[in-house]
Amino acid sequence: MSVSITEVTYGADQVGLISGFRFLPGQAGQPIASEEAVHFLQQPAQDDGFVWLHFNLAHAACERWLRARMPLPDDFFAMLHAGSSSTRIEPSDGMLLAVINDVALGFGVVTSDVATLWVAAGSRLLVTARVRPLRSVDRLRAAVKSGEVFPSARSLLFHLMQDQADVMAGIVRESARKVDHIEDRFLAEHLQDHRAELSGMRRTLVRMQRLLAPEPGALFRLLNRPPAWLAEHDVQALRESTEEFSLVLNDLASLVERIKLLQEELAAKLNEQTNRTLFTLTMVTVLALPINIVAGFFGMNVGGVPLANHPHGFWVLVLLVASFTFLAGWWAFSRQNAR
């Protein structure tokens, strides 16, 4: 008797299968084990639905099992070892092969690291494989478990791409909210050194932008010359996902540029504040020079010290030093204000 995927713990499947679902026409997905999926795919093609299998490539036996038991084209395995994680989607042997970059999902901790997902979508089979957990796949799995109905394996792929765009949009919104907060404090003259925080956000967003930027181009190339076996409603769904993802990328690029400008303004403001502080310290040092010089001269143990025997000599020197200090300070600060 086969064991349902929902009854085993995470990563316990002997071939690296994280989750598997079988979809019958008009019904929600039901958990399926790896060997049950192989038996289903070996049956003659009928109108009996499709399966979605999600694998962990970090499992030692995963790729070997996929090569031996899954009807996947060689191009899929070539993508696994291509070395490049640039986003792309292309047809191959009646299937859609895709490399999708998304935000990694830690165990209980949401991160901003980017991870890669490899996808193969056919008429009866959708295979997704990754090394690190991804947020968009987690959202898709939650949708399947909640009972959402999917008419085809490719519709799952397009839903996954929609989830990817939604995750990116959420990250852009959250980053924009943080930038708004920093900008409001900056405009309110509550100056703090947020350069490290801004640099971290900008570095993450630029990395995401670099990895995700090729996706709209790859999708548009596929839409311009779609394969004959790709249904019209699938083409329309892919077009909608592409347009939304393009908007997210534009927002991402605008936010990166905004962070860059805010960094420059913040650096200029901090430099201005530092210059004012250095000027004040310099002026205090310069204005203290007359007192130090006079104290040095009158502290010498030599004869002929002026006003040594004068009854009001101390106050004469105090008046002389104070007058010189006042005139020097007035001259220096008036020149500073005139600039």
Side-chain angles (χ1 to χ4, degrees):
M1 177 175 163
S2 62
V3 180
S4 171
I5 294 300
T6 56
E7 297 174 356
V8 297
T9 58
Y10 177 85
D13 186 275
Q14 60 182 356
V15 298
L17 180 67
I18 300 172
S19 60
F21 297 93
R22 177 181 176 180
F23 296 83
L24 297 177
Q27 299 182 21
Q30 297 297 322
I32 187 173
S34 54
E35 291 303 321
E36 292 175 340
V38 171
H39 178 73
F40 166 79
L41 294 173
Q42 290 175 347
Q43 300 301 315
Q46 297 175 355
D47 189 17
D48 55 355
F50 62 96
V51 293
W52 171 34
L53 304 177
H54 182 50
F55 290 91
N56 178 15
L57 287 174
H59 197 287
C62 179
E63 183 178 346
R64 184 171 61 253
W65 188 87
L66 286 173
R67 288 180 180 272
R69 309 301 298 274
M70 288 287 103
L72 297 173
D74 293 336
D75 291 341
F76 176 78
F77 300 100
M79 288 196 310
L80 295 180
H81 301 282
S84 174
S85 57
S86 295
T87 303
R88 63 184 186 272
I89 180 169
E90 55 193 32
S92 177
D93 295 340
M95 303 186 77
L96 281 179
L97 305 183
V99 178
I100 298 176
N101 290 284
D102 192 18
V103 178
L105 179 68
F107 292 96
V109 179
V110 177
T111 69
S112 296
D113 296 333
V114 178
T116 303
L117 179 74
W118 291 268
V119 183
S123 59
R124 305 181 67 207
L125 172 66
L126 173 68
V127 170
T128 57
R130 53 75 172 167
V131 176
R132 300 173 60 192
L134 292 95
R135 292 173 64 179
S136 59
V137 176
D138 190 69
R139 289 167 61 103
L140 179 60
R141 186 163 53 237
V144 172
K145 290 182 177 180
S146 67
E148 187 171 345
V149 177
F150 294 90
S152 66
R154 296 185 184 100
S155 66
L156 266 174
L157 171 60
F158 302 145
H159 193 288
L160 175 66
M161 299 180 71
Q162 181 68 44
D163 289 334
Q164 179 199 26
D166 292 341
V167 169
M168 295 300 123
I171 293 176
V172 171
R173 285 195 300 269
E174 179 63 20
S175 300
R177 186 190 63 79
K178 294 180 180 179
V179 173
D180 289 341
H181 176 70
I182 295 174
E183 192 173 42
D184 290 341
R185 294 186 61 85
F186 174 75
L187 295 176
E189 299 296 333
H190 296 158
L191 193 61
Q192 295 180 3
D193 192 355
H194 293 282
R195 288 178 294 180
E197 183 179 359
L198 289 172
S199 297
M201 282 194 294
R202 183 182 174 191
R203 181 170 58 252
T204 299
L205 294 175
V206 166
R207 182 164 180 255
M208 290 170 53
Q209 184 183 20
R210 183 174 64 250
L211 290 173
L212 299 175
E215 183 165 330
L219 294 174
F220 278 124
R221 284 194 297 271
L222 179 64
L223 290 171
N224 288 334
R225 301 181 63 182
W229 43 262
L230 196 61
E232 180 62 29
H233 61 85
D234 289 335
V235 173
Q236 181 61 30
L238 188 60
R239 182 175 292 109
E240 293 175 358
S241 299
T242 304
E243 292 173 353
E244 182 169 350
F245 197 82
S246 298
L247 293 176
V248 173
L249 279 181
N250 291 336
D251 293 340
L252 181 61
S254 300
L255 183 58
V256 169
E257 186 64 24
R258 182 183 171 195
I259 292 176
K260 179 182 177 182
L261 294 176
L262 186 56
Q263 282 180 303
E264 294 175 353
E265 292 183 7
L266 185 59
K269 195 72 173 180
L270 290 173
N271 288 336
E272 182 182 349
Q273 187 182 60
T274 301
N275 291 336
R276 286 199 303 266
T277 302
L278 290 176
F279 173 77
T280 302
L281 293 175
T282 302
M283 291 309 305
V284 170
T285 303
V286 171
L287 295 177
L289 281 178
I291 300 176
N292 294 329
I293 292 174
V294 171
F297 275 118
F298 279 84
M300 296 178 182
N301 295 320
V302 296
V305 176
L307 303 176
N309 298 318
H310 194 282
H312 303 292
F314 173 77
W315 297 109
V316 171
L317 289 176
V318 169
L319 180 62
L320 180 64
V321 171
S323 300
F324 181 79
T325 303
F326 174 76
L327 291 174
W330 173 81
W331 177 79
F333 284 105
S334 62
R335 287 177 58 87
Q336 176 69 14
N337 293 332
R339 292 181 178 178

